[in-house]
Each structure stands twice: as C-alpha cells, then as structure tokens.
Amino acid sequence: MYSGSYGLSLVVWAVGGLFSVFGALCYAELGTTITKSGASYAYILESFGGFIAFIRLWTSLLIIEPTSQAVIAITFSNYMVQPIFPTCLPPYSANRLLAAACILCWCLSGLLTFVNCAYVKWGTRVQDFFTYAKVLALIAVIIAGIVRICQGQTQNFDGLFEGSSRDPGGVALALYSALFSYSGWDTLNFVTEEIKNPERNLPLAIGISMPIVTVIYILTNVAYYTVLDMQAILDSDAVAVTFADQVFGVMNWTIPLAVAFSCFGGLNASILAASRLFFVGSREGHLPDSLCMIHVERFTPVPALLFNGAMALVYLCVEDIFQLINYYSFSYWFFVGLSIAGQLYLRWKQPDRPRPLKLSLFFPVVFCLCTVFLVVVPLYSDTVNSLIGIGIALSGVPVYLLCCYTPSHKRPLWLRKAIGQCSTIYTTVVITRLLMVYTNTEYIGYYMYVINISV
C-alpha cells in the first residue's frame, strides 16, 4: 500500500526482519541482565526511573496492547467474512461484530482468557499448537508459489521497482506494517520470571526463531506476488483468501482456517504478555493493587487478564486497520527504542554488572538510530495520528503526579474518595461476584490473593 512496488515491498519486508532480529538480540541481552518480567517497562524502570516507566505503562494500557489485539481480531474477522462475500465488500457492521465477539465472547479472547486464567501450561500448549498450524499453512503457500515460479509465472516481477515510493514517510509507514507482522519477538521478555533458566533459554529461543520467521515471511510474500497482481492485492481485505481461491481450488477453505489459527495464537501471546505487563506494573505501585492479584492454585493474574480483554474492545470503533497499526507503531517503537537506549545507558553507568549475554555495541546503536527514523519521519507524514499518540502518552503525566508520586494522605479528598469507591465496586462486583473470590479465610470456589514476588 505505501511502498508502491513489489520490489520495494520485498526490501521493506527484509529490512523489517533484519531490524526485528537486531531488536530481539538486544532484548535477549536486556532479558538476561534484568531478569524481571515486563519487557520494556521493566527495562525503562531500571534505567530511567518510575516516571518514564509509568508513561510506558500508561501508553500500553491505552494504546499499544488494546490496538494490537484489536488488529488481530479484525484480521480474524476479515478472513472469516471474506469467503461469505466473495464478489463484494463484507458489511462493516458484520466484520466489527465478529471481531468484538472474538475479543469478548467465546471465539477468541473469552476462550483464550479462560485458558490463560486456568493454567499457565494450558496457555503455552495452545500457543504451540497454533504456531505449528500457522507455520504449516505458510509452508503450503510458499510451496505453491515456488511451483508457479518453476512453471514460468514470473510476469508480476517485470519492472520490479517501477512505481516505488520515494517519500520517506511512506516508506516508514510501510515499514510499520511489516514490523507489526514481525511483532512478538519481545513476548518472552514479558514473562522472563516464568522462564526456566532464562540466561540460556531466552537467547536460544530468540536466536533460532527470528531468522526462521524472517525467511518464511519473505518467501510467503514472494508467493503472493507471483500469483496476484498489484491491484488484486490492494483490492483484497484478505490477501491469503484471494491467493487460495486462485491456487488451492476446492481446498481454498484451508487458508481462512489457517489464518484463524494464526490469529488465535497471536492473540493468545498478546493476552499472555499484556496481562503480565499490567501485573508487574501493579506490583511496582503504578496500577491498582487489584491487578496484581494472582490465583492461589493456578498462579495466573486473572484480574489483569480480564481488564486487558475489556480494553481491546474500545479500538474496534476505528474503521481503518492501518490507522490502528499507526497508532500502535508510533508509541510502541518509541518506547522500545527508549528501552534499547537504556541498554546503552546501563553499559555506561554499570559496566561491571553481570551480563550472561553481551552484544557488540553495534547492535543497540544501529537499532536506536533506526528507531529514530521510525518515530521522527511519521511525525511529518502522519502528523495527526502521531500527535494523538503523543497526546495520549502525555495524558499520563497528571495521573502519575496525582496517583503515584503524591503520597496517599496528600492527595485531594475527592480523588481519595473516588479511588476508594472504584476499589470497593471493583472488589465487590468483579472479584467477589464474577470470579467467586471471598475475603474470608474459607476457600470457596475460586480464591485469589495479592502476592508480591521478590525479584
């Protein structure tokens, strides 16, 4: 959409993959140096203190996590609805209602939130299954593309770079879309405290997975470009469905199913990561204590999971999915870049700190420079959305000053009353009634308690 040609599009996908590999390696060093869950929130807190970390958490609460999950749910909805309306655009209301059902009810978030609330191992097993299903489907697409190329169908690659965008802002926005597809390489850092032997397993998982994902995504796009011309791709809300209609014949139903599996897995990972982020933020005193409650037997942050699922519904009101991605990407990459800058800062301030994995400075420096491009250029090319992201981030400043920085006994009386009433309503209605949690010592049904984990 933003690149203007197949050639530049493939370059963007390759650059996005390489950029993600650099970021993942930097996060591997940070994750083995600062062995706390929470990813960039924990790293910014360690490097730059509570204020900047709270703004990161506030932005995740209002933009990053809910928009990410909304995009995944909308993608699921597009691929489920498109086969029903093969010759016309699906109704907007039907698309969004299905996406809302995915987040709210049994299709995705309700089921996956239950899975993550029930047992940690259930969540990881679900993630493994859907990952295998997604990879197998992508391999099938790649093989189909290779067969077509071997049959001489290469006309779409004539004039590969003709019409390429020369606008840096357009290239940055194209890179946003590619990087969103690669996003997830930081998910393990959200659950560092739950990983066995993170000093070994975290870098190993990142080092194996990221190059494989990059190669698979590039080859998948080569397969799409081999079969579909530019206009067909731009006109389709579900490119893989259009591809399957032309290649797989009566088996074309397998691709929407595979995309559904992929969305299940992606949303499961997002729910897992976001709930741990809010849990850690609550543990550090930046969010209400009720969000750091965990189940006494299953050790899962149930209130954080439910709160995160509810927040994702808000962004379904945004019609343009690329606008959602731009909302997400501007804020996300700013704070990821800041956490990598924190890596450089800690190298300077704490040179003797134990680092099981220590990269060359080349990696974080290049990553930070690229992040500056991703953040600064869209300020010019997509000013409105960028300013919205900045405004939402800055709206956390008075919240931090009133609710975190100011001691409770010095807060305005109206604020103390409001916080007390909200806490009472939440505890009574949500925890006691919906989750069957009781405050007495008798264990009935589900029982949860606040636990502060010493890291």
Side-chain angles (χ1 to χ4, degrees):
M1 179 177 179
Y2 295 109
S3 59
S5 71
Y6 282 165
L8 183 57
S9 175
L10 291 174
V11 170
V12 167
W13 277 101
V15 170
L18 183 62
F19 182 70
S20 298
V21 169
F22 272 46
L25 290 174
C26 292
Y27 261 45
E29 178 182 323
L30 283 168
T32 55
T33 304
I34 305 170
T35 54
K36 294 181 180 179
S37 295
S40 60
Y41 167 74
Y43 308 147
I44 292 171
L45 180 65
E46 184 87 7
S47 304
F48 303 116
F51 174 67
I52 303 298
F54 176 83
I55 299 301
R56 162 66 171 101
L57 185 66
W58 180 258
T59 307
S60 293
L61 191 75
L62 297 183
I63 303 179
I64 295 174
E65 302 304 334
T67 54
S68 173
Q69 293 169 24
V71 169
I72 295 171
I74 292 170
T75 303
F76 171 86
S77 178
N78 285 339
Y79 276 87
M80 291 295 97
V81 174
Q82 185 71 31
I84 303 173
F85 300 92
T87 59
C88 61
L89 290 176
Y92 174 80
S93 57
N95 189 300
R96 285 305 192 268
L97 285 173
L98 180 57
C102 291
I103 293 174
L104 184 63
C105 300
W106 58 273
C107 288
L108 281 179
S109 191
L111 174 62
L112 293 175
T113 297
F114 166 74
V115 167
N116 282 282
C117 288
Y119 293 101
V120 174
K121 286 186 178 179
W122 287 13
T124 56
R125 287 170 183 169
V126 167
Q127 188 65 39
D128 290 343
F129 172 77
F130 290 132
T131 298
Y132 296 145
K134 174 184 178 179
V135 171
L136 289 175
L138 290 176
I139 290 174
V141 170
I142 291 169
I143 291 174
I146 292 174
V147 170
R148 290 297 182 95
I149 291 175
C150 292
Q151 292 174 346
Q153 188 173 332
T154 58
Q155 65 275 10
N156 289 341
F157 296 107
D158 295 337
L160 197 59
F161 288 91
E162 288 181 7
S164 296
S165 173
R166 298 180 182 274
D167 178 19
V171 174
L173 294 177
L175 196 54
Y176 271 180
S177 297
L179 289 173
F180 182 84
S181 299
Y182 286 112
S183 64
W185 49 262
D186 59 343
T187 301
L188 280 178
N189 295 73
F190 282 97
V191 294
T192 303
E193 295 169 19
E194 301 173 49
I195 299 175
K196 294 180 180 179
N197 191 10
E199 290 81 5
R200 173 187 177 274
N201 292 331
L202 183 62
L204 190 63
I206 289 172
I208 293 174
S209 62
M210 284 308 301
I212 293 174
V213 169
T214 301
V215 171
I216 287 177
Y217 279 8
I218 292 174
L219 291 179
T220 299
N221 279 278
V222 170
Y224 288 157
Y225 299 161
T226 300
V227 175
L228 304 175
D229 58 35
M230 181 75 71
Q231 195 58 45
I233 289 177
L234 293 177
D235 290 342
S236 177
D237 286 331
V239 176
V241 172
T242 307
F243 176 89
D245 289 340
Q246 295 196 26
V247 174
F248 293 121
V250 295
M251 297 297 291
N252 59 356
W253 58 270
T254 58
I255 293 300
L257 182 63
V259 172
F261 283 158
S262 174
C263 292
F264 266 74
L267 191 52
N268 181 64
S270 181
I271 289 172
L272 181 73
S275 63
R276 269 55 177 184
L277 172 63
F278 300 150
F279 172 81
V280 173
S282 177
R283 190 179 66 191
E284 297 291 341
H286 287 162
L287 288 177
D289 288 339
S290 54
L291 290 180
C292 70
M293 290 182 175
I294 67 171
H295 198 280
V296 68
E297 289 185 340
R298 295 167 179 170
F299 308 110
T300 51
V302 180
L305 284 162
L306 297 177
F307 174 79
N308 172 70
M311 282 296 299
L313 292 172
V314 176
Y315 284 89
L316 292 181
C317 299
V318 179
E319 185 173 350
D320 186 0
I321 190 171
F322 290 102
Q323 188 176 3
L324 277 176
I325 292 175
N326 294 346
Y327 280 156
Y328 161 91
S329 299
F330 178 84
S331 302
Y332 174 78
W333 289 112
F334 173 79
F335 286 106
V336 168
L338 193 61
S339 64
I340 303 301
Q343 180 183 6
L344 295 172
Y345 176 77
L346 291 176
R347 285 281 194 96
W348 172 55
K349 293 292 290 184
Q350 302 175 10
D352 298 326
R353 183 169 185 163
R355 292 176 172 85
L357 174 65
K358 190 172 182 179
L359 299 174
S360 164
L361 287 176
F362 172 79
F363 291 95
V365 168
V366 170
F367 188 89
C368 286
L369 292 175
C370 293
T371 305
V372 170
F373 170 79
L374 286 174
V375 172
V376 172
V377 173
L379 279 171
Y380 166 75
S381 60
D382 195 23
T383 307
V384 174
N385 289 332
S386 300
L387 291 178
I388 289 173
I390 293 173
I392 292 175
L394 293 179
S395 69
V397 175
V399 177
Y400 175 81
L401 293 176
L402 285 173
C403 299
C404 298
Y405 182 77
T406 305
S408 58
H409 66 278
K410 292 185 178 181
R411 295 171 189 164
L413 182 61
W414 62 268
L415 180 61
R416 281 183 282 169
K417 286 183 177 179
I419 293 174
Q421 289 174 354
C422 290
S423 237
T424 302
I425 293 171
Y426 180 84
T427 302
T428 303
V429 176
V430 177
I431 297 179
T432 304
R433 301 300 179 190
L434 297 183
L435 300 179
M436 299 177 63
V437 179
Y438 294 83
T439 55
N440 58 15
T441 55
E442 182 181 4
Y443 177 80
I444 304 175
Y446 287 95
Y447 173 73
M448 300 171 68
Y449 71 104
V450 178
I451 181 171
N452 291 317
I453 301 175
S454 177
V455 179

